[in-house]
Amino acid sequence: MVLYTNSMTKMLITGGAGFIGGNFVHYTRKHYPNYQLTVIDKLTYAGNTRTLEPVMDKIEFVQGDICDRELIDKLVSETDIVVHFAAESHNDNSLRNPWPFVETNIIGTYTILEAVRKYNKRLHHISTDEVFGDLELDDPNRFTETTSYNPSSPYSSTKAGSDHLVRAWVRSFGIQATISNCSNNYGPYQHIEKFIPRQITNILSDIKPKLYGTGEQVRDWIHVDDHNSAVHLILEKGVIGDTYIIGADNDHVNNKQVIEMICELMGKGKDFYEHVNDRPGHDMRYAMNSSKLRNELGWQPQYTDNDGMKNGLLATIDWYTNNRDWWQAEKMAVEKKYAEQGQ
Ligand code: NAD
Ligand code: TDX
């Protein structure tokens, strides 16, 4: 692996106590040990310092809000690179209460952009496939970097807003930023409100897995390490001002097939799950065309096709089985909240 940092390079990671940010911290410590890492995280319900426990003595951890201008000004002034993961990230929560999404995803990103502009620092902004809206189930197309934005939920519309802010700051103020839009991630340290860890921890808690509606919806699943390898490549070789789509070509499995796979891999019958209320405004299909990232930057995901997804799921099942301390205390409260909505 080529190291593109020297021992003086400082990286500020926002949302580093969350799922993808936490995995990014571990990935960076392992593959790019020359970075000096600072994490800023508000520790909302989704942040968990236990995720960072193994590396806490090797990083600087700051509990704080990305909307706090003074704090962000100070932290950005002291770093070389900002990788911006922090967000309110769950669609179902955004349907219950959109405000934290507007605040963190839009005002928080604005606050970071202003500091990056002031101190002329390199920024990479993490975004999602959901900004493009959805495709019909029988639509063979995939999202590309030029697909129009058409978000459906309060979550995805605030992420779309944050992407627009980044582009405007690049064009109007010349900041040194790149953006990536990635598909649905899975892997260790993912909050148990999300689809895959919810089902794994349901089975581990003797609760039946819950499928929204008919389960025909398709998500283009990617292992979190593949997402994070792409982010490092963009930091290393990405063109300033450009956007990169990240996806591992797993858009051939629908939610029903994923839940069946989990049931089978965990030694249950394929049909060991129940249907629950559908999500209002549920996006049907996401599919990503990551040719630009593959052709221009040479990216290759490790967990691809059915075997890759199966291997990634098996490793994820193992992780939740062996790390009950990380999730068990929250399980009943998460399920109670879902049950109130018939989910
Ligand atoms: P997550 O909810 O697991 O983690 C988000 C983290 O941000 C938490 O640690 C939380 O405490 C922190 N945070 C929230 N508000 C904050 C604030 N105001 N100030 C500081 N910290 C704050 O989310 P995730 O799944 O790890 O997603 C990370 C990023 O990746 C988000 O920007 C999300 O939009 C994007 N993304 C996620 C996926 C996915 O499948 N999970 C896919 C594509 C893109
Ligand atoms: O219990 C469930 N049953 C179910 O069928 C849950 C929690 C979800 N689902 C369905 C809804 C979706 O079609 O599974 C699919 C995945 O749901 P989520 O894990 O909530 O993910 P999604 O809404 O697709 O958004 C995710 O990917 C894009 C992340 O949460 C976002 O942060 C990211 O931007």
Side-chain angles (χ1 to χ4, degrees):
M1 169 102 30
V2 180
L3 293 184
Y4 56 94
T5 65
N6 59 52
S7 57
M8 299 303 289
T9 309
K10 294 180 183 160
M11 181 185 275
L12 177 66
I13 299 168
T14 75
F19 164 46
I20 306 175
N23 277 286
F24 184 79
V25 170
H26 292 299
Y27 189 93
T28 307
R29 288 281 320 145
K30 187 169 169 197
H31 297 286
Y32 302 90
N34 289 347
Y35 274 121
Q36 288 179 35
L37 305 184
T38 300
V39 166
I40 172 177
D41 198 295
K42 188 178 176 180
L43 297 181
T44 66
Y45 79 96
N48 190 338
T49 48
R50 274 170 299 162
T51 299
L52 298 177
E53 234 164 43
V55 295
M56 246 342 168
D57 57 339
K58 301 190 180 65
I59 64 170
E60 186 189 355
F61 180 80
V62 179
Q63 180 173 2
D65 192 328
I66 56 166
C67 301
D68 179 339
R69 286 189 199 188
E70 240 174 75
L71 176 63
I72 291 300
D73 193 275
K74 176 178 176 296
L75 292 175
V76 171
S77 74
E78 292 167 353
T79 196
D80 300 305
I81 300 172
V82 182
V83 187
H84 177 33
F85 292 93
E88 283 292 335
S89 70
H90 193 38
N91 273 300
D92 292 327
N93 292 344
S94 82
L95 298 167
R96 289 186 206 114
N97 179 15
W99 169 243
F101 291 75
V102 174
E103 194 171 38
T104 288
N105 300 357
I106 297 186
I107 299 172
T109 301
Y110 159 79
T111 308
I112 285 165
L113 285 167
E114 282 294 80
V116 162
R117 167 156 88 113
K118 183 169 168 188
Y119 296 107
N120 193 24
K121 301 297 167 107
R122 172 80 169 88
L123 170 70
H124 182 70
H125 174 65
I126 305 290
S127 192
T128 168
D129 53 2
E130 301 199 15
V131 298
F132 303 118
D134 63 349
L135 299 159
E136 297 292 335
L137 287 180
D138 58 358
D139 187 339
N141 290 309
R142 290 175 165 182
F143 299 134
T144 71
E145 285 79 5
T146 56
T147 303
S148 309
Y149 276 35
N150 186 24
S152 315
S153 73
Y155 163 66
S156 51
S157 59
T158 57
K159 289 299 290 186
S162 69
D163 293 6
H164 289 314
L165 291 179
V166 176
R167 292 217 179 95
W169 261 243
V170 169
R171 175 151 176 175
S172 300
F173 305 125
I175 66 160
Q176 309 284 302
T178 41
I179 299 176
S180 53
N181 295 88
C182 187
S183 54
N184 283 61
N185 286 221
Y186 69 96
Y189 304 111
Q190 184 167 30
H191 195 280
I192 57 169
E193 68 190 352
K194 302 294 193 325
F195 180 53
I196 287 178
R198 183 181 181 205
Q199 314 317 333
I200 295 172
T201 56
N202 274 353
I203 293 179
L204 292 173
S205 312
D206 292 323
I207 300 170
K208 282 206 159 184
K210 314 284 184 206
L211 186 64
Y212 290 179
T214 57
E216 294 163 284
Q217 295 77 12
V218 174
R219 298 293 182 264
D220 193 347
W221 293 101
I222 182 172
H223 191 276
V224 64
D225 285 345
D226 282 334
H227 183 176
N228 285 330
S229 74
V231 172
H232 270 287
L233 203 55
I234 296 165
L235 284 170
E236 184 181 4
K237 297 184 181 167
V239 175
I240 296 299
D242 269 20
T243 291
Y244 296 88
I245 293 272
I246 307 174
D249 296 347
N250 276 320
D251 58 327
H252 48 272
V253 276
N254 65 28
N255 292 343
K256 184 167 175 288
Q257 290 164 317
V258 173
I259 218 167
E260 286 173 353
M261 228 191 282
I262 293 171
C263 290
E264 282 187 320
L265 291 173
M266 295 185 72
K268 299 288 180 189
K270 187 173 155 187
D271 299 330
F272 184 73
Y273 66 88
E274 61 190 21
H275 293 271
V276 291
N277 286 346
D278 208 348
R279 172 183 285 170
H282 201 168
D283 278 346
M284 291 311 288
R285 175 165 181 268
Y286 305 141
M288 302 295 260
N289 178 342
S290 55
S291 328
K292 175 178 171 181
L293 182 67
R294 292 170 195 248
N295 298 337
E296 292 182 14
L297 306 192
W299 178 71
Q300 271 298 328
Q302 301 301 308
Y303 298 85
T304 50
D305 62 46
N306 263 338
D307 271 356
M309 175 106 189
K310 195 172 147 195
N311 293 338
L313 275 180
L314 272 172
T316 307
I317 291 167
D318 271 358
W319 190 86
Y320 282 92
T321 307
N322 295 324
N323 290 278
R324 283 174 186 261
D325 286 357
W326 188 88
W327 57 268
Q328 204 149 30
E330 281 175 279
K331 183 66 187 169
M332 288 310 139
V334 170
E335 287 308 310
K336 185 166 174 274
K337 208 156 106 182
Y338 274 124
E340 282 161 11
Q341 298 169 172
Q343 291 181 319

